[in-house]
Amino acid sequence: GAVVSQHPSWVICKSGTSVKIECRSLDFQATTMFWYRQFPKQSLMLMATSNEGSKATYEQGVEKDKFLINHASLTLSTLTVTSAHPEDSSFYICSATTGLSNSPLHFGNGTRLTVT
Amino acid sequence: GESVGLHLPTLSVQEGDNSIINCAYSNSASDYFIWYKQESGKGPQFIIDIRSNMDKRQGQRVTVLLNKTVKHLSLQIAATQPGDSAVYFCAEFSQSGGSYIPTFGRGTSLIVHP
């Protein structure tokens, strides 16, 4: 079945540094990728929708200059958390789909970000 | 496609019982639905899907029911096992601006007691 690989699975960084998270679709072309943030015992919060070759669409309240998203190819999207602060510590999850009607949405295994 | 970060409702069952997890969706134009299972510290995993031209679909130990009249989706798990303990999300898919966008339900935390 379709697989989405997310890397790294866990990262600890110092406050003020930037962290890049990669999301790869391994066996299908992901026209659309989504980035979510999830706090403990809460549901997924959509941060942005990324279509290959175009700028990401950010949800209200998500700072696009802080959470940089690049979707340069049909198999790779990256989320860069710039100038990270402790409040950015969270579980970040990507998902990918071909964008076709009735096409399943596949998730990566998430990245646990801890900012110290 | 936005979902709100709310604390999750919980369903507790005994091992061997059947579990029913419910989801109310919002968009009558949604034509595709998926149930996901998310274990602690992992990303959501696809369980079963259903298209809007169906009202029931069965998988291994799982059944999804779709009632379009009241915009309700349910996931039934037969003979629930401790390994079924997880958070379960429903997702509805609809066309939006040329893209096929998912919207997630709140999620339900299923706890299975041995």
Side-chain angles (χ1 to χ4, degrees):
Chain A
V3 176
V4 174
S5 173
Q6 191 171 338
H7 178 81
S9 56
W10 190 23
V11 57
I12 302 173
C13 71
K14 291 186 177 180
S15 191
T17 61
S18 296
V19 174
K20 181 185 283 189
I21 303 170
E22 292 187 348
C23 182
R24 294 182 184 272
S25 58
L26 298 185
D27 57 358
F28 67 100
Q29 293 187 325
T31 307
T32 305
M33 288 185 171
F34 302 91
W35 286 95
Y36 300 87
R37 186 171 180 176
Q38 188 177 35
F39 293 101
K41 300 195 184 301
Q42 293 191 14
S43 59
L44 302 168
M45 293 179 61
L46 180 66
M47 298 174 68
T49 301
S50 167
N51 290 302
E52 186 267 339
S54 60
K55 290 184 179 179
T57 301
Y58 289 81
E59 295 298 305
Q60 191 172 9
V62 178
E63 299 175 59
K64 60 183 178 182
D65 293 331
K66 178 164 186 63
F67 298 100
L68 300 178
I69 290 172
N70 184 284
H71 191 166
S73 77
L74 285 171
T75 58
L76 174 65
S77 176
T78 59
L79 167 67
T80 301
V81 182
T82 63
S83 187
H85 290 281
E87 57 265 31
D88 298 325
S89 298
S90 191
F91 193 54
Y92 293 88
I93 307 173
C94 72
S95 65
T97 178
T98 61
L100 299 174
S101 176
N102 295 342
S103 176
L105 185 70
H106 299 280
F107 285 86
N109 254 339
T111 297
R112 173 74 57 195
L113 171 63
T114 302
V115 185
T116 60
Chain B
E2 179 178 350
S3 67
V4 180
L6 300 174
H7 287 278
L8 303 173
T10 300
L11 173 66
S12 292
V13 300
Q14 289 295 128
E15 181 178 3
D17 288 351
N18 296 332
S19 301
I20 300 176
I21 300 171
N22 296 302
C23 179
Y25 65 93
S26 56
N27 188 348
S28 56
S30 294
D31 57 7
Y32 181 53
F33 305 86
I34 300 178
W35 276 102
Y36 290 93
K37 172 186 180 183
Q38 186 180 22
E39 296 176 271
S40 181
K42 297 183 179 179
Q45 289 179 286
F46 174 98
I47 302 175
I48 191 168
D49 61 356
I50 188 167
R51 293 175 175 76
S52 59
N53 61 351
M54 306 169 69
D55 53 22
K56 180 179 180 179
R57 190 160 188 232
Q58 288 185 293
Q60 189 176 14
R61 283 200 307 119
V62 295
T63 300
V64 55
L65 298 178
L66 174 62
N67 185 329
K68 293 182 289 293
T69 303
V70 295
K71 292 188 287 189
H72 184 267
L73 198 66
S74 69
L75 177 70
Q76 300 177 1
I77 304 174
T80 316
Q81 302 167 1
D84 295 327
S85 294
V87 174
Y88 291 81
F89 294 97
C90 69
E92 57 175 309
F93 288 74
S94 57
Q95 290 284 342
S96 176
S99 298
Y100 210 51
I101 300 295
T103 302
F104 289 90
R106 290 176 64 190
T108 297
S109 177
L110 175 66
I111 300 173
V112 183
H113 301 283

